[in-house]
Amino acid sequence: MKTNEERLTEILDRLDQISYIKLEKIPEIDLYMDQVTSFMEEHLRKAKRNPEDKALTKTMINNYAKNNLLPPPVRKKYSKEHLLLLLFIYYYKNLLSFADIEELFRPITEKHFHSDGAPSLSGIYQEVFSLEEQQMERLKEDVKAKFQASQDTFSGAAPEDREYLQLFAFISELSFDVYLKKQMVEMIIDQLREEHAPETANKKKR
């Protein structure tokens, strides 16, 4: 059985393998759906929990379009902007509901999708993920701090139980961190929804 220190090392090594898809890797030409799913499968394989899982399927894409997360393709082809939105959806979908993602995406799809408005969707993607390296380093330091705090717990437990109880404390601390951040994201989206409601009502009156 692995020690908690060995588990931490594996976690940090895994983080080093995860990265976003660089903008220059995303095709400039429009793609058919099969090409889109193949592209995502190739470039997101390291982020999957299980090798047999699919990063993206035709059904998923159709559901995103049906739920107003993704503009429809043009002549069955998906543009670079479609792929960028799909990547954002990939990172959000396990955290937020479709309704929340739709609300969050609304200004992006209205003002920056196939639009001459600045910044472009490519520029937004590049700007957002330019923070990745700094964020990854902060995350590693935070994980290490949480792990160290967990190792200081259950000092009075029986030796045969202490290792697992400390691991449980570590997992619980990571989970609570995710829970709080999810609460904050949902609160912001609720604020956006409230601010958008009067605007929608005014449009309907016209």
Side-chain angles (χ1 to χ4, degrees):
M1 184 179 291
K2 296 174 184 175
T3 65
N4 288 344
E5 286 77 10
E6 289 171 335
R7 296 181 198 278
L8 177 65
T9 299
E10 285 193 15
I11 290 171
L12 297 177
D13 288 345
R14 174 71 188 279
L15 288 178
D16 284 334
Q17 297 174 27
I18 298 175
S19 180
Y20 74 103
I21 301 176
K22 303 295 190 293
L23 189 62
E24 57 269 22
K25 296 283 188 182
I26 300 173
E28 296 286 347
I29 60 172
D30 295 348
L31 304 177
Y32 287 108
M33 185 178 284
D34 285 342
Q35 294 172 307
V36 172
T37 55
S38 295
F39 173 83
M40 294 296 189
E41 195 65 31
E42 177 186 354
H43 288 85
L44 292 173
R45 63 183 185 277
K46 289 184 179 179
K48 295 190 298 182
R49 183 178 183 182
N50 301 306
E52 63 273 15
D53 291 342
K54 295 293 183 182
L56 187 68
T57 66
K58 295 178 183 180
T59 301
M60 291 178 189
I61 294 176
N62 288 331
N63 280 339
Y64 300 156
K66 181 180 178 182
N67 286 276
N68 301 316
L69 308 188
L70 190 72
V74 178
R75 293 187 292 275
K76 297 185 178 181
K77 283 190 172 184
Y78 296 83
S79 65
K80 182 177 183 177
E81 286 80 8
H82 281 106
L83 266 66
L84 293 172
L85 282 181
L86 284 169
L87 286 170
F88 278 120
I89 292 170
Y90 180 81
Y91 294 118
Y92 280 124
K93 67 179 182 177
N94 291 324
L95 181 68
L96 300 174
S97 68
F98 279 1
D100 282 347
I101 298 174
E102 179 190 0
E103 186 64 40
L104 184 61
F105 277 15
R106 191 188 307 278
I108 303 297
T109 52
E110 288 179 356
K111 298 179 181 179
H112 306 283
F113 187 89
H114 285 171
S115 169
D116 295 331
S120 66
L121 192 51
S122 292
I124 292 172
Y125 182 87
Q126 183 80 345
E127 192 78 16
V128 168
F129 284 101
S130 68
L131 303 172
E132 184 214 27
E133 186 173 343
Q134 295 177 9
Q135 170 63 14
M136 189 64 80
E137 289 308 311
R138 288 195 296 269
L139 175 62
K140 287 180 183 177
E141 291 307 312
D142 183 60
V143 169
K144 290 175 185 176
K146 285 179 168 57
F147 178 81
Q148 189 55 55
S150 72
Q151 295 306 105
D152 294 335
T153 61
F154 297 104
S155 57
E160 63 271 19
D161 296 330
R162 187 180 305 129
E163 183 92 357
Y164 182 77
L165 290 172
Q166 290 174 338
L167 178 64
F168 183 76
F170 179 49
I171 292 171
S172 297
E173 193 168 1
L174 290 174
S175 299
F176 189 59
D177 183 73
V178 173
Y179 168 77
L180 291 177
K181 288 175 180 174
K182 183 174 184 288
Q183 291 286 316
M184 288 188 283
V185 172
E186 289 176 342
M187 188 183 302
I188 294 170
I189 292 174
D190 287 341
Q191 291 170 348
L192 293 174
R193 187 174 285 112
E194 290 174 6
E195 292 163 8
H196 181 254
E199 177 186 332
T200 303
N202 289 334
K203 285 183 180 178
K204 287 181 180 179
K205 287 179 182 178
R206 295 187 199 133

